[in-house]
Amino acid sequence: MSDPGQRLRSSLAADQAAMAQFSSSGEEFDSPIAMEALRATRVLHAANQDPFPRPGRIRVITIANQKGGVGKTTSTVNLGVALALYGLRVLVIDLDPQGNASTALGVEHSVGTPSIYDALVGDREMSEVVHPTSASPNLRCVPATIDLAGAEIELVSVVAREYRLRRAIEGYLQGLPEHERPDYVLIDCPPSLGLLTLNALVAGDEVLIPIQCEYYALEGLGQLLNNIELVRAHLNPGISVRSILLTMYDARTKLADQVADEVRNHFKDLVLPTVIPRNVRVSEAPGYGQSVVTYDPGSRGSTSYVDAAREIAERGVALTPLTDVRPGGARGAYPPPLPPRAFPDTDSATVDAGTVPAPSSEESSR
């Protein structure tokens, strides 16, 4: 049995039966172990009865924030695994030279491994660099190797360098039968606003921004939003910020509440209702080549990412294929998008790239 999710579901079946037996006898489940087992059972068994809804079109989501350490890679991996375990086909593209997403998914990314570098700079098709993962049969990954660190320089002289990733993705989708195309393509960006991130913004239809619940995470957000608006105006008129995920929430401090409130007040419904708490299991999981969803499905980090993935999936149901929109009405600047993937409506809600509010007071402990 190679699927970790299936192994965990089987191992927790006995716990579920035991809890049902004790519950019928009138006993309470207020112990930490019992509650964690209950949460794990809900995470791993809900997919059998309540799978995530499929989106109205292929969703290419760029997960970006130029600040490091805010949870981009962690969110990419855990959202991808949650979507896959709950019945959706997912492709994760690791665009960070550090290769952390590849590590967390148990995908080899040493020097010489076919990777996203070969698709961006070399002459390989993306189908040649897509690898299976141990997390789920529905989840595949394009790893990143250290070679990607030099891609920024190598792409400078390349014609249409901003569209390299978009062309690679669309060529890959075009070569797949419709029933094998992913429902979600998640692009993990490096912590910068360089050419790699620019490629991800041009390739994506929407942006998900993880924001750490601390003051510093807000400082560079305005610059990121301005860059997204520039890409929208000149390179990809369909790109927009559709989701903001609050991460590393520490309930012990008032600052976390203040940052969360300020972000929700400013960005309204773009902010996902679920908040990702600080959880040691989230940090431990990559050491075992896993996501927290498969490493410890009963942890608060796991259940939070599953809830966030469900919210993202529910938002995608209403999306429908739309006409191709390009700067100046130009045609042939890059391969036409494939049905059902197309640019989102350019009139849809997007983020105001104005000043991002800051917390009103200093951090204090409760």
Side-chain angles (χ1 to χ4, degrees), residues 95-179:
L95 207 60
D96 187 345
Q98 298 176 87
N100 294 148
S102 307
T103 299
L105 291 174
V107 177
E108 178 64 34
H109 60 100
S110 59
V111 175
T113 302
S115 68
I116 189 63
Y117 171 84
D118 300 296
L120 286 177
V121 180
D123 55 0
R124 287 187 182 236
E125 299 292 332
M126 184 168 285
S127 58
E128 301 177 55
V129 298
V130 173
H131 297 252
T133 69
S134 60
S136 169
N138 288 333
L139 179 63
R140 300 173 71 80
C141 175
V142 180
T145 64
I146 193 61
D147 294 333
L148 193 60
E152 298 257 1
I153 297 175
E154 295 180 65
L155 287 174
V156 168
S157 59
V158 175
V159 176
R161 62 194 179 204
E162 300 89 354
Y163 298 103
R164 298 287 292 183
L165 181 60
R166 182 180 182 88
R167 284 175 168 169
I169 292 174
E170 291 181 344
Y172 172 68
L173 297 178
Q174 198 167 29
L176 290 175
E178 186 172 351
H179 68 278

Side-chain angles (χ1 to χ4, degrees), residues 212-214 218 246 248-265 275 359-361 363-366:
Q212 184 181 6
C213 291
E214 293 185 3
L218 296 176
L246 294 170
M248 303 183 191
Y249 176 81
D250 189 346
R252 298 172 298 176
T253 64
K254 290 183 179 179
L255 178 64
D257 284 331
Q258 292 167 359
V259 172
D261 290 343
E262 292 288 355
V263 172
R264 292 191 187 280
N265 290 335
V275 174
S360 56
S361 61
E363 177 178 5
S364 55
S365 298
R366 287 178 172 171

Side-chain angles (χ1 to χ4, degrees), residues 69-286:
V70 299
K72 291 186 298 298
T73 297
T74 300
S75 297
T76 302
V77 168
N78 287 291
L79 291 175
V81 171
L83 291 167
L85 288 179
Y86 279 69
L88 301 177
R89 295 184 297 272
V90 182
L91 174 66
V92 170
I93 298 177
D94 189 354
L95 207 60
D96 187 345
Q98 298 176 87
N100 294 148
S102 307
T103 299
L105 291 174
V107 177
E108 178 64 34
H109 60 100
S110 59
V111 175
T113 302
S115 68
I116 189 63
Y117 171 84
D118 300 296
L120 286 177
V121 180
D123 55 0
R124 287 187 182 236
E125 299 292 332
M126 184 168 285
S127 58
E128 301 177 55
V129 298
V130 173
H131 297 252
T133 69
S134 60
S136 169
N138 288 333
L139 179 63
R140 300 173 71 80
C141 175
V142 180
T145 64
I146 193 61
D147 294 333
L148 193 60
E152 298 257 1
I153 297 175
E154 295 180 65
L155 287 174
V156 168
S157 59
V158 175
V159 176
R161 62 194 179 204
E162 300 89 354
Y163 298 103
R164 298 287 292 183
L165 181 60
R166 182 180 182 88
R167 284 175 168 169
I169 292 174
E170 291 181 344
Y172 172 68
L173 297 178
Q174 198 167 29
L176 290 175
E178 186 172 351
H179 68 278
E180 293 183 8
R181 292 177 184 172
D183 299 299
Y184 285 82
V185 178
L186 305 181
I187 306 174
D188 180 34
C189 294
S192 68
L193 294 176
L195 197 51
L196 291 176
T197 300
L198 181 60
N199 262 266
L201 292 175
V202 172
D205 294 328
E206 53 189 287
V207 181
L208 185 150
I209 304 177
I211 299 179
Q212 184 181 6
C213 291
E214 293 185 3
Y215 173 74
Y216 285 141
L218 296 176
E219 283 198 321
L221 188 55
Q223 184 181 358
L224 172 62
L225 298 178
N226 284 330
N227 278 28
I228 293 173
E229 286 303 313
L230 289 173
V231 171
R232 180 182 173 90
H234 301 287
L235 297 171
N236 183 359
I239 193 73
S240 63
V241 178
R242 291 186 180 271
S243 303
I244 292 176
L245 178 63
L246 294 170
T247 64
M248 303 183 191
Y249 176 81
D250 189 346
R252 298 172 298 176
T253 64
K254 290 183 179 179
L255 178 64
D257 284 331
Q258 292 167 359
V259 172
D261 290 343
E262 292 288 355
V263 172
R264 292 191 187 280
N265 290 335
H266 189 72
F267 296 112
K268 309 298 182 185
D269 293 339
L270 290 175
V271 185
L272 296 175
T274 296
V275 174
I276 309 301
R278 284 192 179 275
N279 184 259
V280 67
R281 295 300 193 190
V282 175
S283 301
E284 289 177 357

